[in-house]
Amino acid sequence: VEVSIVGRGYGECVLVHLGWGDWLIVDCCLAEPEPPTPYPPLYLERMGIPFEEVRWLLASHWHDDHVAGFGALTQLCNTATVYMSEALRSQEFASLAQAEIEEPPGRIGSGIREMRQTLKELKESRRTVEQARADQRLFLDEVDGLTREIWALSPSNAASLRSKRAFVQEALPMAAARRRVRAPDPNEASVALHVRVGDVVVLLGADLQNEKSADRGWKAVLGSQGRPRERASLFKLAHHGADNGDHPDVWVEMLEEEPVVALTPYGAGPRPRPDDADVARICSYTSEAYIAGPRRVKLPKASSPVEKVRRKAVRSAAVSERPLGHVRCRRSTSASGWTVDLDGTAERLCSPKSAEPSGGDPHRL
Amino acid sequence: MPQTAYLQKNGGSATEVRQGNERPSVPMSQANGSGGTGPSPGNDSLDTSSVDPDRWSVARRPRVRAPEAVAFRRLEQREGVVLDIDEREGVFRARLVDPRADEPDQEVEVEIEQVSPSDLDLLAPGALFFWAIGYVTGRTGRRSLVLQLDFRRLPRLGRAQEEKARLAGARYAKEMNWT
């Protein structure tokens, strides 16, 4: 089993090999912004893996840091079954994506352009789109006596309904006003996954957050009677390790003790994630935490006059994009621990508690 | 030439500064032609019939012109999008993108007072703007360093087009068997 978590400060994707040449790709991010080059096909090519081995593609939610390049990915992996969050596979989202509203020219776009291209590609190639929602098994089989399954743990019905309403009532008017479209809370409709190959269980948290209401977010997942009960030994932390994506009961009820944890940094926003408090919290749960990219990047030096104006007009500034980082975790179904390899700017998040961590020291790819 | 004629009271006579071919000024006491006694009794309106237009003039305030830029030397250029606005803190948060993609994207908190009053109504989440820092050279040759934020005024789509989008979405969902 291989799980790759890739990030670049503004962009995230996850590649999972369930063994026997079956790959799942969750979301997409770019290796390079210009020209826009999706990362997953580059990695597959580098590893000599034909695109036909990608059996499932999933758009966990609609945020442009998770869907950049997804349209091109669906074209390249043209035999894969495409899954989307129930909120996205809806008439409401199609209205938004199909709107003949040209986004203003320039480099700033939104996930809507990407999703429009994806839906167009899917329709032209006569492919179906499956929906993913809470407590739904997306895949089940048995190979060599090992059960393989993929479960969607979210979004809940309540989260999907709220998102669909927001697409029509809030996002579409924004598009009509020729502003950059952004749905208010797409994270609550994102798809967290439970992937199992034999005894190896992986929890992929997407950007699922804690919501006030018990019928959405992690509270809904924890309260569900229909979700699988096996605990995961590897966790892709939700929402870039932010406290609002972390529910303490997840560590108790859904994860093994001292799990391997991987996350991607998020450079945008008033508080780039994970911040120091996030790191302290994560490292209190496990010492086996890895991050796909540096937490902080220095602002590039500008000329002295530019700095002078910025000091006066700008209260704070941070680089939102970072060089790409890749955390690769591998485990044989008969082995007891994960082997972690780091590539690019990926690094260990916590100092190890013992001289010999459970999965061994990470290697550079 | 700017018109800078004005009157200064000086014991019934005026010290006049005239430029160009402006009309000669008249002392204020004679301006209504009634010996300085104000409007005629029984007539509330100002009677100007006896004023010789050639001798008539009003005090003009100096006209102040905004220094117009004659040149702008750009040092930094970005495309920006407003992410959110914190009116209490007096800032808005924006993402800045280098159009040439040479520099990484940044997120900044900008003082709202940097937005010109005429653009304030455009300041909303999702609004797109151009960001430029550079030297602006005025008419007088004076050079100053400025941040220019130009919010894009894009034509809003009508309700009909919004409705068309809804119908297109419904059609797509039907064709894809989503409903």
Side-chain angles (χ1 to χ4, degrees):
Chain A
V1 180
E2 175 184 317
V3 181
S4 279
I5 288 108
V6 184
R8 53 174 303 120
Y10 194 77
E12 174 183 303
C13 68
V14 179
L15 296 95
V16 183
H17 182 220
L18 284 82
W20 294 274
D22 290 329
W23 287 80
L24 157 72
I25 300 179
V26 182
D27 298 333
C28 191
C29 64
L30 301 178
E32 291 297 333
E34 287 296 331
T37 316
Y39 181 78
L42 289 184
Y43 178 68
L44 295 176
E45 272 189 340
R46 192 170 118 195
M47 302 298 291
I49 297 159
F51 297 150
E52 291 73 32
E53 291 196 4
V54 178
R55 281 190 68 180
W56 310 277
L57 294 173
L58 168 70
S60 75
H61 66 298
W62 163 54
H63 248 163
D64 52 351
D65 64 325
H66 285 253
V67 297
F70 196 81
L73 192 62
T74 54
Q75 267 182 312
L76 291 169
C77 304
N78 54 13
T79 56
T81 304
V82 179
Y83 281 92
M84 284 185 188
S85 165
E86 185 188 20
L88 300 186
R89 189 193 172 279
S90 65
Q91 179 178 322
E92 290 83 352
F93 187 72
S95 294
L96 186 60
Q98 291 296 302
E100 288 173 14
I101 296 167
E102 283 307 313
E103 281 192 306
R107 266 198 68 215
I108 293 179
S110 67
I112 195 72
R113 190 185 294 171
E114 193 66 54
M115 294 311 288
R116 184 184 303 151
Q117 191 191 331
T118 304
L119 295 187
K120 186 168 176 267
E121 160 62 24
L122 292 168
K123 187 179 163 190
E124 284 174 0
S125 57
R126 296 169 184 270
R127 288 162 78 184
T128 56
V129 182
E130 304 294 336
Q131 67 178 7
R133 57 182 156 76
D135 304 335
Q136 183 191 6
R137 186 152 51 192
L138 309 181
F139 169 72
L140 169 70
D141 79 349
E142 197 173 308
V143 190
D144 296 343
L146 291 171
T147 301
R148 302 190 301 171
E149 58 182 351
I150 303 172
W151 281 82
L153 305 175
S154 62
S156 64
N157 280 341
S160 286
L161 284 172
R162 270 169 55 97
S163 279
K164 287 186 223 174
R165 200 180 309 130
F167 292 148
V168 174
Q169 291 179 358
E170 296 176 51
L172 190 55
M174 269 181 107
R178 307 294 300 276
R179 298 206 296 265
R180 180 176 175 267
V181 181
R182 188 179 172 205
D185 273 315
N187 284 344
E188 68 180 24
S190 70
V191 183
L193 292 179
H194 168 106
V195 179
R196 180 165 80 93
V197 180
D199 293 331
V200 179
V201 180
V202 175
L203 177 60
L204 304 175
D207 269 0
L208 198 65
Q209 291 182 223
N210 279 328
E211 306 293 338
K212 282 180 189 162
S213 171
D215 60 0
R216 306 195 304 270
W218 282 112
K219 282 181 194 161
V221 173
L222 288 159
S224 162
Q225 299 297 310
R227 68 173 168 84
R229 298 283 147 175
E230 297 92 350
R231 289 164 199 250
S233 55
L234 173 64
F235 182 26
K236 199 293 286 180
L237 266 175
H239 206 217
H240 314 280
D243 52 355
N244 60 12
D246 182 23
H247 194 298
D249 290 351
V250 170
W251 298 88
V252 179
E253 293 183 25
M254 301 182 74
L255 297 171
E256 290 179 2
E257 267 187 50
E258 205 46 30
V260 172
V261 158
L263 68 149
T264 60
Y266 186 68
R271 281 173 70 183
R273 298 296 189 154
D275 62 16
D276 291 345
D278 296 326
V279 173
R281 193 189 65 255
I282 294 162
C283 296
S284 74
Y285 289 121
T286 180
S287 59
E288 290 294 301
Y290 302 89
I291 182 165
R295 287 174 53 212
R296 292 191 183 88
V297 177
K298 275 189 178 174
L299 278 171
K301 190 103 180 119
S303 66
S304 158
V306 169
E307 291 288 348
K308 196 175 163 188
V309 175
R310 278 178 164 251
R311 269 197 299 275
K312 194 178 160 198
V314 176
R315 205 173 287 180
S316 70
V319 174
S320 51
E321 279 187 330
R322 283 104 206 257
L324 196 107
H326 182 153
V327 178
R328 188 175 72 185
C329 309
R330 283 176 159 171
R331 181 173 165 177
S332 156
T333 48
S334 56
S336 59
W338 291 89
T339 304
V340 179
D341 301 311
L342 304 176
D343 195 14
T345 54
E347 58 191 28
R348 184 187 272 277
L349 195 65
C350 319
S351 26
K353 278 180 188 162
S354 62
E356 200 176 323
S358 62
D361 275 327
H363 306 97
R364 283 276 151 198
L365 283 173
Chain B
M1 288 290 286
Q3 296 175 350
T4 54
Y6 58 93
L7 297 173
Q8 288 180 345
K9 272 194 173 178
N10 188 10
S13 65
T15 304
E16 185 181 2
V17 180
R18 285 199 293 159
Q19 288 187 355
N21 55 355
E22 290 177 13
R23 295 167 183 151
S25 62
V26 174
M28 294 295 280
S29 58
Q30 297 170 24
N32 62 7
S34 58
T37 56
S40 306
N43 184 358
D44 286 342
S45 61
L46 186 67
D47 180 10
T48 58
S49 56
S50 59
V51 174
D52 176 359
D54 289 336
R55 303 244 335 131
W56 185 85
S57 179
V58 291
R60 296 189 183 191
R61 302 178 71 183
R63 187 171 163 193
V64 180
R65 279 173 184 255
E68 286 171 29
V70 292
F72 184 73
R73 191 179 143 225
R74 197 164 48 211
L75 302 173
E76 182 182 79
Q77 182 187 15
R78 296 284 183 269
E79 290 170 13
V81 58
V82 177
L83 301 176
D84 47 50
I85 301 158
D86 187 341
E87 287 185 15
R88 208 171 42 125
E89 289 289 320
V91 292
F92 68 91
R93 204 161 56 83
R95 186 179 166 118
L96 298 181
V97 173
D98 180 359
R100 293 175 304 176
D102 289 340
E103 298 284 348
D105 297 355
Q106 288 185 24
E107 258 192 46
V108 290
E109 279 186 323
V110 187
E111 306 276 350
I112 290 177
E113 64 182 27
Q114 295 295 326
V115 181
S116 71
S118 59
D119 278 355
L120 273 176
D121 59 329
L122 301 172
L123 183 64
L128 298 163
F129 62 89
F130 292 111
W131 161 291
I133 292 176
Y135 286 110
V136 64
T137 307
R139 252 171 211 285
T140 58
R142 188 175 168 176
R143 204 171 70 149
S144 46
L145 198 52
V146 296
L147 164 64
Q148 277 190 351
L149 299 177
D150 291 320
F151 279 76
R152 298 173 73 169
R153 291 174 186 271
L154 297 156
R156 202 195 141 82
L157 304 182
R159 296 286 300 170
Q161 281 158 297
E162 270 188 60
E163 195 50 41
K164 196 175 158 193
R166 284 194 177 87
L167 292 173
R171 198 166 49 245
Y172 183 92
K174 194 175 172 191
E175 286 168 3
M176 296 292 281
N177 291 321
W178 288 4
T179 49

